[in-house]
Amino acid sequence: MQEKELRSRAWFGRKGKDGFIYRAWMKNQGIPDYEFNGKPIIGICNTWSELTPCNAHFRELAESVKRGILEAGGFPVEFPVMSLGETLIKPTAMLYRNLASMDVEESIRANPIDGVVLLCGCDKTTPSLVMGACSVNIPTIVVSGGPMLTGNHRGKNIGTSDVWRYHDEVRLGNVLEEELVTIEAAMCRSQGHCAVMGTASSMACMVEALGLSLPGNAAIPAADSRRKVLAQLSGLRIVEMVKEDLRLSDILTRNAFENAIKVNAAIGGSTNFVIHLLAIAGRIGVELELNDFNYLSENIPLIANLQPSGKYFMEDLFYAGGLPVVLKALDGILHRDSITVNGKTMAENYSNATGYNSDVITTVDAPFNTSTGLAILTGNLCEAGAVIKPSAASKHLMQHTGKAVVFENIEDFKARIDTEELDVDENSVLVLKNVGPKGYPGMPEVGNMGLPKKLLEKGITDMVRISDGRMSGTGFGTVVLHVSPEAAAGGNFAMIKTGDLITLDVPNRLLNVEISAEELVKRKAQYVAPDPVASRGYVKLYIDHVQQAHLGADMDFLRGGSGDKVVRDSH
Ligand code: FES
């Protein structure tokens, strides 16, 4: 079989002035001609940043990838892209997911790269890198940074989900502010991303379930030396993928997406998974709709006992055998023949997986929770859909009718939630508007709004909460998210007023508000959209072009791809 000419030859194999320039400036790094001229050039797309603490160990990880690439006869070129640190970026990292994806896409296409290794970790760094790479579609492999070691405070295991618990305890006066300082250090005690099945872990599982990483990638802790081994093996493999011309579009079939959805349900993955997977599908050109998540997740129980839906941490998942054991437990449910980055099928990869702890990973016949990890709701409150995570919600609220207590925006919520005058009880439904893609902008993770202090004091721990925003993958509660269309887009959600009766019916996948047709027309006629928060720059571009949550909140002009051809090829 004739090997396909390397893409990078259009730079380094070129004669004349252009070829001279391409090669000469590479040589100023002290690289001899034979090192890069004629070998597969492998980009290492690095989201290392000290402002993204979850990815701060990525320089070391890149060195391991490089060793693998060199060993296989390729030449590594590491390049930085915009990094999104979930905890520090304001107003929310999600506002910049699409911007980072543009950076990735254009950086790959514009440069002499034959294959690329994506170094992803903290929540948004995975979808943004995969989205960008999909729009170019060259051979690509993902290496996740790995989770932190399990936190431990005074002999008790703790993780990111405890942030919400401790926050409520401080509000009640049960934990002192000073103690929080030691809890902070005890929680984040090693390199890596959040150690529960939050969004970062869900994204790491997503790439493994899609077939975009080597088997076992999802769960190896960042601090475990086997993470570096996986990185080196990934470097080795990407060179072979270039020779085989195994591209993202060969792996990311409709069946691969269906596998990822089923796995996310079985592990109690983040609700953010929905929005990111829809955006990735949009980039690679696979038809995927919000409602697909309903029927594909249906009847898939929770078989991974991980916080926030369960008890354990990612480190425990690794010791129990990792994601391949979960995949094996889903044999017969998954598409077995989906091809993965190592050239083997999904089933070939998990066939030898062995489980070591049935309290962490169980079977479909004896699940930890029969509630699925994800449900999509429809109704007149969310004409294009909304999302809930039943496995992290309260059973007694799965069918509930209550009076709305409406907050027009997050500032309104913060100002009034703990006031004595707030007319609210445990049967009320908290409604938070204008935290959607356009409205905030960027759809922040504020959907699991804290309960009113006076109800916490009564011992109430959960209420139905509804918003057009998102929730941290580490969050929990009976929380309806991603209401679409969002309030700022003028959907029915924008028309809800305090006192309206709202009915949540998760078994029947319904979310409705009792407003008569005439009243709705009247309210819509009076509706005035809030002023956009930006009149220039990227934020304005985002507000003008971001799509609604049920489409993945990508920008309309970014859907699809432009392939690996450069826009113009002469100076
Ligand atoms: Fe980075 Fe949680 S803050 S993964």
Side-chain angles (χ1 to χ4, degrees), residues 65-77:
V65 175
K66 282 179 190 174
R67 274 204 297 278
I69 294 168
L70 290 167
E71 192 186 337
F75 184 72
V77 282

Side-chain angles (χ1 to χ4, degrees), residues 321-536:
L323 196 69
V325 178
V326 176
L327 300 175
K328 192 173 181 181
L330 297 173
D331 188 49
I333 292 173
L334 299 179
H335 299 289
R336 309 177 85 246
D337 55 355
S338 289
I339 204 78
T340 71
V341 281
N342 65 0
K344 295 184 181 162
T345 64
M346 188 62 74
E348 284 171 330
N349 283 340
Y350 65 62
S351 59
N352 291 327
T354 308
Y356 300 105
N357 188 341
S358 59
D359 200 33
V360 177
I361 308 170
T362 183
T363 61
V364 172
D365 298 330
F368 298 113
N369 187 340
T370 49
S371 298
T372 185
L374 205 68
I376 307 302
L377 306 169
T378 53
N380 71 346
L381 189 146
C382 52
E383 301 111 291
V387 174
I388 189 169
K389 185 173 181 176
S391 62
S394 299
K395 282 204 166 45
H396 73 280
L397 293 172
M398 290 291 91
Q399 285 181 306
H400 179 83
T401 298
K403 282 187 181 171
V405 176
V406 176
F407 302 94
E408 287 301 321
N409 50 50
I410 189 68
E411 290 78 14
D412 182 27
F413 170 80
K414 285 185 174 167
R416 293 196 292 128
I417 189 65
D418 282 342
T419 55
E420 267 311 309
E421 307 79 65
L422 189 72
D423 186 10
V424 65
D425 63 29
E426 56 269 43
N427 296 315
S428 305
V429 174
L430 302 181
V431 172
L432 176 59
K433 298 180 187 173
N434 292 305
V435 289
K438 286 177 189 289
Y440 189 70
M443 222 184 160
E445 293 181 336
V446 294
N448 58 329
M449 38 196 134
L451 304 190
K453 193 173 168 191
K454 60 184 174 189
L455 296 184
L456 284 176
E457 284 166 348
K458 269 176 68 182
I460 305 300
T461 54
D462 196 10
M463 292 170 71
V464 175
R465 290 159 270 177
I466 303 174
S467 78
D468 47 11
R470 295 178 303 117
M471 168 172 83
S472 164
T474 63
F476 50 86
T478 310
V479 182
V480 177
L481 304 151
H482 308 189
V483 167
S484 182
E486 63 178 304
N492 288 353
F493 187 58
M495 309 307 150
I496 298 173
K497 289 186 175 171
T498 292
D500 289 342
L501 269 188
I502 291 177
T503 298
L504 169 68
D505 181 353
V506 179
N508 292 303
R509 305 290 190 261
L510 291 172
L511 183 62
N512 284 305
V513 55
E514 282 182 31
I515 309 176
S516 69
E518 302 77 53
E519 175 65 13
L520 201 55
V521 170
K522 208 167 95 192
R523 290 188 194 179
K524 284 200 170 176
Q526 291 165 351
Y527 174 70
V528 182
D531 289 337
V533 302
S535 59
R536 66 163 298 281

Side-chain angles (χ1 to χ4, degrees), residues 54 86-87 122-123 193-194 200:
C54 303
E86 199 63 29
T87 50
C122 197
D123 295 11
H193 61 69
C194 292

Side-chain angles (χ1 to χ4, degrees), residues 59-121:
R59 280 169 157 175
E60 275 178 62
L61 210 55
E63 289 309 312
S64 299
V65 175
K66 282 179 190 174
R67 274 204 297 278
I69 294 168
L70 290 167
E71 192 186 337
F75 184 72
V77 282
E78 185 181 348
F79 62 97
V81 289
M82 184 180 194
S83 189
L84 303 174
E86 199 63 29
T87 50
L88 299 178
I89 283 192
K90 289 178 187 284
T92 167
M94 183 64 179
L95 176 61
Y96 302 106
R97 183 200 66 179
N98 300 341
L99 179 61
S101 79
M102 290 165 77
D103 181 357
V104 173
E105 174 182 347
E106 303 302 336
S107 295
I108 296 173
R109 182 181 300 112
N111 281 297
I113 293 173
D114 299 304
V116 65
V117 181
L118 307 177
L119 295 190
C120 318

Side-chain angles (χ1 to χ4, degrees), residues 115-300:
V116 65
V117 181
L118 307 177
L119 295 190
C120 318
C122 197
D123 295 11
K124 306 301 175 296
T125 57
T126 303
S128 59
L129 266 56
V130 174
M131 286 162 67
C134 280
S135 292
V136 188
N137 192 26
I138 62 171
T140 301
I141 194 167
V142 177
V143 176
S144 300
M148 289 183 226
L149 297 174
T150 306
N152 193 289
H153 177 62
R154 297 183 179 167
K156 181 175 172 278
N157 286 340
I158 57 170
T160 322
S161 295
D162 292 300
V163 170
W164 322 114
R165 293 191 189 98
Y166 282 122
H167 179 68
D168 284 343
E169 292 295 319
V170 170
R171 287 169 74 208
L172 289 171
N174 297 338
V175 170
L176 298 175
E177 289 280 356
E178 302 80 73
E179 195 185 339
L180 278 184
V181 178
T182 51
I183 294 172
E184 285 163 11
M187 183 178 293
C188 300
R189 68 185 180 96
S190 84
Q191 51 188 214
H193 61 69
C194 292
V196 298
M197 188 49 77
T199 303
S201 300
S202 303
M203 290 294 98
C205 292
M206 176 190 78
V207 292
E208 189 169 334
L210 285 169
L212 294 183
S213 72
L214 292 183
N217 169 69
I220 307 171
D224 193 299
S225 55
R226 286 164 282 189
R227 173 61 58 190
K228 285 184 182 166
V229 173
L230 181 126
Q232 182 159 341
L233 294 175
S234 302
L236 201 75
R237 176 59 195 153
I238 185 67
V239 178
E240 293 165 4
M241 286 174 70
V242 168
K243 290 177 184 160
E244 294 163 11
D245 199 26
L246 182 60
R247 295 177 183 238
L248 282 170
S249 55
D250 299 318
I251 296 166
L252 291 177
T253 59
R254 165 82 192 191
N255 282 354
F257 282 89
E258 293 190 357
N259 282 345
I261 292 171
K262 290 170 181 174
V263 170
N264 193 68
I267 59 177
S270 164
T271 46
N272 289 318
F273 164 86
V274 178
I275 216 157
H276 298 319
L277 198 75
L278 285 165
I280 292 166
R283 293 296 185 97
I284 203 71
V286 165
E287 292 292 329
L288 192 69
E289 292 180 358
L290 189 59
N291 199 39
D292 293 333
F293 290 76
N294 246 349
Y295 80 86
L296 290 167
S297 303
E298 215 166 23
N299 304 325
I300 297 192

